C-alpha cells in the first residue's frame, strides 16, 4: 500500500474532524460487509481513482489490515445494534467518499463539515460554538468547521431543531432554500425539504428574524408562533401554535396536551417513517391528549381510534385515516 493510501485509512479512522458517530456508522457498516466482494472492489476502485497506482499485492495487504482494524469491534457490537445502523451506512459512506478524499489531496483540515441522517433516523450533534442541533430523517446540515467569522452560518436541507448558544457579537444564521433565519441565542425548529411544497419555522424560545427573496420585508417571530412559506405560491403566513407539539420529535416521549390531530400526525410520520393521509371528512383541528413512547404504530392508532371516531389502514409505509 502506498503512503497516500495509508493516509486515507488514517484519515477515515483517526482524523479529529470526523464526528465520532459518523465514524461508528462507517465502522459498523464495514463490519457487516467486510466479506463482501463488492465492498473490497469498491474500496479498490475509490483508491485507484483518488491515488497514484500501487502494487496489487500491497493494496490487498492494506485491505486486510483495514478489515482487521475494525474486526476487533465485533465482540462489542450486537447484531441488533448493527442492523439498526445499516440503513444509515449509505449516508456515512457518501461523506467519506464525497468529501474526505478531497481534503486528503492537500492533507489540510476540512474547512466544511456535513452532518446528515438517513430516512427514519435522527441524530444529535454539537457545533463548534456549543450550539446543539437535532437532525430529523433525510436531513443535511453544512457549516464551516472553524466558526471563526463574524457570523455563524449553517446550511440546512431537511428538518432540524436548534438550541443556539448565545453570542451577541456573532449572530447565528440558518440558510434554507428560500429563507434565512438569524438569531442570537434561542431554540426553534426549521424545516425545508427539497421535496416539500412549504418551509416552516416554529419558535420555542427567544426570537428569530426571517428574511428571503420571496418576502417583502423581514418577519420577526415570537415564542409559540409558526412561520410558513409556500414555495409554489410565494406566500407567507404566521400563526399561533403550541411550539411543544413541533419541537419534540427527537425526544423519547412525545407529549400532546390538547393538540390538534394534524400536529400528532406530523409527529407520527417523522417518528415511524410513514406517510399518513387524512380523509377530508375528518377535521385536522380535532384535539386530543396522549403520550407516545416507543409503542408500535398500530397500538397508538388503536388509542386514537378510542378517543375519536376514526379507522385506519396501513399499507407498507403509507397509512390512510378515514371516518368510522
Amino acid at each position: 500500500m502506498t503512503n497516500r493510501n495509508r493516509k486515507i485509512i488514517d484519515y477515515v479512522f483517526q482524523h479529529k474532524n470526523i464526528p465520532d458517530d459518523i465514524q461508528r456508522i462507517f465502522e459498523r457498516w464495514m463490519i457487516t460487509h467486510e466479506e463482501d466482494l463488492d465492498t473490497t472492489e469498491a474500496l479498490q476502485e475509490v483508491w485507484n481513482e483518488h491515488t497514484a497506482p500501487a502494487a496489487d499485492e500491497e493494496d490487498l495487504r492494506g485491505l486486510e489490515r483495514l478489515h482487521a482494524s475494525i474486526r476487533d469491534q465485533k465482540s462489542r457490537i450486537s447484531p441488533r445494534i448493527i442492523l439498526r445502523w445499516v440503513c444509515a451506512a449509505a449516508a456515512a459512506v457518501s461523506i467519506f467518499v464525497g468529501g474526505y478524499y478531497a481534503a486528503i489531496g492537500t492533507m489540510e483540515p476540512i474547512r466544511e463539515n456535513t452532518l446528515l441522517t438517513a430516512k427514519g433516523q435522527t441524530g444529535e450533534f454539537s457545533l463548534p460554538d456549543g450550539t446543539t442541533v437535532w437532525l430529523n430523517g433525510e436531513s443535511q446540515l453544512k457549516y464551516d468547521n472553524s466558526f471563526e467569522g463574524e457570523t455563524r452560518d449553517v446550511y440546512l436541507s431537511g428538518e432540524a431543531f436548534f438550541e443556539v448558544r448565545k453570542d451577541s457579537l456573532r449572530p447565528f444564521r440558518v440558510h434554507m432554500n428560500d429563507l434565512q433565519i438569524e438569531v442570537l441565542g434561542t431554540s426553534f425548529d426549521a424545516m425545508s425539504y427539497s421535496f416539500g411544497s412549504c418551509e416552516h419555522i416554529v419558535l420555542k424560545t427567544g426570537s428569530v428574524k426571517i428574511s428571503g427573496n420571496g418576502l417583502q420585508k423581514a418577519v420577526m417571530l415570537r415564542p409559540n408562533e409558526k412561520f410558513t412559506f409556500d414555495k409554489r405560491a410565494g406566500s407567507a403566513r404566521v400563526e399561533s401554535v403550541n411550539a411543544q407539539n413541533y419541537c419534540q420529535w427527537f425526544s423519547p416521549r412525545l407529549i400532546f396536551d390538547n393538540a390538534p390531530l394534524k400536529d400528532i400526525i406530523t409527529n407520527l410520520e417523522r417518528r415511524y417513517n410513514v406517510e399518513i393521509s387524512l380523509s377530508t371528512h375528518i377535521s385536522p383541528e380535532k384535539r386530543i391528549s396522549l403520550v407516545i413512547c416507543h409503542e408500535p404504530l398500530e397500538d397508538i392508532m388503536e388509542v386514537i381510534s378510542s378517543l375519536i371516531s376514526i379507522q385506519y389502514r396501513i399499507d407498507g409505509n403509507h397509512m390512510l385515516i378515514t371516518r368510522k
Side-chain angles (χ1 to χ4, degrees):
M1 182 184 296
T2 64
N3 287 334
R4 190 176 181 85
N5 284 345
R6 289 195 186 95
K7 290 177 181 178
I8 290 174
I9 291 178
D10 290 342
Y11 196 87
V12 171
F13 288 98
Q14 300 178 18
H15 198 281
K16 64 181 181 180
N17 285 332
I18 298 179
D20 291 341
D21 52 345
I22 297 299
Q23 265 196 4
R24 289 193 297 271
I25 292 173
F26 183 78
E27 291 167 354
R28 289 167 179 167
W29 180 84
M30 285 296 298
I31 288 172
T32 62
H33 294 76
E34 64 172 303
E35 303 299 335
D36 293 356
L37 179 61
D38 291 344
T39 301
T40 299
E41 292 178 348
L43 283 172
Q44 287 177 318
E45 289 177 4
V46 171
W47 286 356
N48 290 337
E49 290 176 2
H50 293 274
T51 67
D56 291 342
E57 184 177 350
E58 290 181 345
D59 274 347
L60 290 174
R61 287 200 301 269
L63 285 171
E64 282 299 315
R65 287 195 293 272
L66 174 60
H67 288 178
S69 69
I70 62 175
R71 195 178 295 120
D72 292 339
Q73 300 188 32
K74 271 187 171 180
S75 60
R76 301 193 299 272
I77 304 175
S78 70
R80 181 172 295 181
I81 294 176
I82 291 173
L83 289 173
R84 195 163 62 233
W85 287 90
V86 165
C87 64
V93 171
S94 70
I95 292 180
F96 288 106
V97 175
Y100 291 166
Y101 284 109
I104 292 169
T106 59
M107 293 311 296
E108 294 181 355
I110 297 176
R111 298 301 300 171
E112 183 181 82
N113 279 354
T114 301
L115 308 175
L116 50 83
T117 51
K119 188 174 183 178
Q121 300 290 316
T122 60
E124 178 183 357
F125 306 93
S126 293
L127 302 185
D129 67 333
T131 291
T132 301
V133 56
W134 287 264
L135 281 183
N136 210 342
E138 293 186 278
S139 299
Q140 176 178 282
L141 188 74
K142 293 183 178 181
Y143 62 93
D144 185 275
N145 188 52
S146 65
F147 258 34
E148 294 176 350
E150 295 181 356
T151 58
R152 298 168 286 167
D153 293 271
V154 300
Y155 298 82
L156 173 66
S157 175
E159 181 175 19
F161 180 79
F162 296 88
E163 286 186 351
V164 179
R165 177 66 62 88
K166 187 172 183 178
D167 186 343
S168 59
L169 299 179
R170 295 193 307 140
F172 188 95
R173 300 191 302 190
V174 181
H175 301 266
M176 303 199 297
N177 185 44
D178 300 284
L179 305 172
Q180 177 180 291
I181 309 167
E182 183 172 318
V183 305
L184 294 178
T186 185
S187 60
F188 62 97
D189 188 79
M191 184 169 66
S192 176
Y193 282 102
S194 59
F195 51 78
S197 61
C198 294
E199 295 176 285
H200 306 279
I201 298 106
V202 178
L203 182 61
K204 186 176 181 181
T205 63
S207 64
V208 300
K209 181 175 74 173
I210 304 168
S211 57
N213 294 332
L215 302 179
Q216 295 182 350
K217 62 179 181 179
V219 176
M220 298 296 296
L221 280 192
R222 295 179 297 178
N224 290 311
E225 286 188 338
K226 176 185 177 184
F227 173 90
T228 300
F229 180 73
D230 188 319
K231 294 188 286 187
R232 296 172 182 171
S235 60
R237 70 178 187 273
V238 175
E239 58 185 314
S240 296
V241 298
N242 182 348
Q244 182 66 18
N245 292 337
Y246 293 83
C247 303
Q248 62 172 339
W249 46 263
F250 51 87
S251 302
R253 299 172 72 234
L254 303 182
I255 303 174
F256 299 101
D257 181 15
N258 195 33
L261 183 59
K262 63 180 181 181
D263 292 356
I264 296 174
I265 287 176
T266 297
N267 279 272
L268 291 178
E269 287 180 321
R270 295 166 184 169
R271 170 154 295 197
Y272 292 94
N273 192 25
V274 295
E275 297 178 0
I276 301 177
S277 299
L278 184 66
S279 169
T280 55
H281 297 98
I282 302 173
S283 171
E285 301 299 331
K286 183 70 175 179
R287 294 179 176 270
I288 58 177
S289 299
L290 75 160
V291 176
I292 298 172
C293 293
H294 298 287
E295 300 86 354
L297 180 58
E298 292 84 352
D299 292 353
I300 295 170
M301 293 309 302
E302 288 297 325
V303 172
I304 296 177
S305 298
S306 68
L307 297 175
I308 56 179
S309 182
I310 66 164
Q311 58 186 1
Y312 65 94
R313 184 177 72 251
I314 299 177
D315 182 12
N317 66 339
H318 182 80
M319 180 167 65
L320 174 64
I321 300 176
T322 59
R323 189 168 60 183
K324 186 178 296 183

